[in-house]
Amino acid sequence: MHRIEWQDLPAAARAAVERHTGPVERAETAPHGVMSRLACTIHTPAGQAFVKGVPEDDPQAWVYRHEAQVTRNAPRAPRVLWDVDSGGWRLYGYEHVQGRYPNLAPGSDDLPPLVDTLTVLSEAPWPETMRKKPLHERWAGFLPDDVPAGMQGRVLAHTDMSPHNMLVTLVGELLLLDWALACPAPAWADTALTIPRLISAGHTPAQGEEIARLVPAYSAADGDTVTIFARTIFAAWQEWEHTRPLPHRAALTDAARKWATWRESSSTVRTR
């Protein structure tokens, strides 16, 4: 998506933001992410905030409303500070978090905070006042017709476990950003979705599973259901590699293939 700079926003939109923040002295466009028309860190005399948004008439504007609602209910997420609707734009202000992207490679000191955050996520219920298609319906085209009961959970799942959606804070806590794809899902779903990321970072499938089983919800999950889920991830990502090509998709698809193949071939894989 083509990014717009802060200074290119309509004056009315910038003024509406500054009523919450004070005068913006400078702004830095975010280097990562593909969805937001505007995504930047603003600097004001009172501090910093992260601002994202789209034009009001953008077909994806509902995604940003949904993301802000979810983020207000999500653990290990930046706080939503304000939202404005002015100048033809819908803009959301988030707490600016000082941190860095985690290192998910074997032996990294960031792995324990990752496990801790995945454990906390697995215990957060979906806010039932919000309507959103659950994960097993989102991926219906890749699942068997008889969806296992274990796939039909109602935990608040992030579902996009890219390291670029994670920040390790100055106190060593791992937070998750960009909750736009959050939906109801099994308690173990985010942990399972992290395994291909670990494999892509250098872990073997067995090592990725060993880390995942440190999360109680994943350790307790039905093994056959998780294997179906692994096949589903691979099938979905393989199709998206061709229909929604992005530079990182090939490596992720290969990691998902390795995980699914390992689960299907290893007689020792049992998550309960």
Side-chain angles (χ1 to χ4, degrees), residues 201-223:
H203 296 261
T204 67
Q207 289 170 330
E209 285 274 349
E210 184 177 359
I211 293 168
R213 284 196 293 270
L214 296 173
V215 178
Y218 187 84
S219 182
D222 176 73

Side-chain angles (χ1 to χ4, degrees), residues 230-246:
R231 288 199 297 264
T232 299
I233 293 172
F234 172 52
W237 289 0
Q238 186 176 44
E239 176 168 312
W240 296 341
E241 183 182 345
H242 299 292
T243 61
R244 311 178 196 175
L246 289 170

Side-chain angles (χ1 to χ4, degrees), residues 27-112:
E28 300 162 352
T29 297
H32 297 289
V34 296
M35 292 184 64
S36 299
R37 283 295 307 279
L38 176 80
C40 64
T41 298
I42 58 172
H43 298 257
T44 77
Q48 297 167 272
F50 186 76
V51 184
K52 64 194 305 185
V54 290
E56 291 175 353
D57 60 358
D58 191 292
Q60 294 298 307
W62 70 270
V63 173
Y64 297 87
R65 292 191 297 272
H66 167 78
E67 180 181 18
Q69 287 178 296
V70 171
T71 305
R72 288 185 173 101
N73 289 275
R76 302 294 169 88
R79 291 178 295 120
V80 181
L81 303 176
W82 43 261
D83 61 88
V84 300
D85 184 359
S86 184
W89 279 74
R90 188 76 182 179
L91 303 170
Y92 298 86
Y94 291 87
E95 171 189 14
H96 181 267
V97 179
Q98 291 283 355
R100 57 175 175 79
Y101 298 129
N103 174 8
L104 302 186
S108 169
D109 290 339
D110 295 338
L111 296 176

Side-chain angles (χ1 to χ4, degrees), residues 12-235:
R14 286 185 277 119
V17 169
E18 289 181 327
R19 282 194 284 273
H20 291 274
T21 67
V24 174
E25 299 172 332
R26 60 188 176 91
E28 300 162 352
T29 297
H32 297 289
V34 296
M35 292 184 64
S36 299
R37 283 295 307 279
L38 176 80
C40 64
T41 298
I42 58 172
H43 298 257
T44 77
Q48 297 167 272
F50 186 76
V51 184
K52 64 194 305 185
V54 290
E56 291 175 353
D57 60 358
D58 191 292
Q60 294 298 307
W62 70 270
V63 173
Y64 297 87
R65 292 191 297 272
H66 167 78
E67 180 181 18
Q69 287 178 296
V70 171
T71 305
R72 288 185 173 101
N73 289 275
R76 302 294 169 88
R79 291 178 295 120
V80 181
L81 303 176
W82 43 261
D83 61 88
V84 300
D85 184 359
S86 184
W89 279 74
R90 188 76 182 179
L91 303 170
Y92 298 86
Y94 291 87
E95 171 189 14
H96 181 267
V97 179
Q98 291 283 355
R100 57 175 175 79
Y101 298 129
N103 174 8
L104 302 186
S108 169
D109 290 339
D110 295 338
L111 296 176
L114 172 66
V115 169
D116 182 59
T117 289
L118 290 171
T119 300
V120 171
L121 289 177
S122 72
E123 298 168 350
W126 177 258
E128 295 298 341
T129 56
M130 295 184 58
R131 298 182 61 186
K132 186 69 184 290
K133 184 182 293 186
L135 189 62
H136 71 276
E137 292 184 16
R138 184 196 296 178
W139 285 0
F142 304 101
L143 284 165
D145 293 336
D146 185 15
V147 178
M151 279 285 296
Q152 302 177 40
R154 302 293 297 180
V155 159
L156 196 165
H158 185 282
T159 81
D160 188 6
M161 304 305 290
S162 165
H164 285 148
N165 288 336
M166 305 175 184
L167 280 181
V168 179
T169 70
L170 300 179
V171 297
E173 187 175 61
L174 190 145
L175 301 185
L176 289 177
L177 316 175
D178 294 339
W179 289 79
L181 297 180
C183 69
W188 45 266
D190 278 337
T191 303
L193 286 161
T194 302
I195 294 175
R197 304 286 181 172
L198 293 170
I199 294 170
S200 185
H203 296 261
T204 67
Q207 289 170 330
E209 285 274 349
E210 184 177 359
I211 293 168
R213 284 196 293 270
L214 296 173
V215 178
Y218 187 84
S219 182
D222 176 73
D224 291 338
T225 301
V226 175
T227 299
I228 292 171
F229 191 72
R231 288 199 297 264
T232 299
I233 293 172
F234 172 52

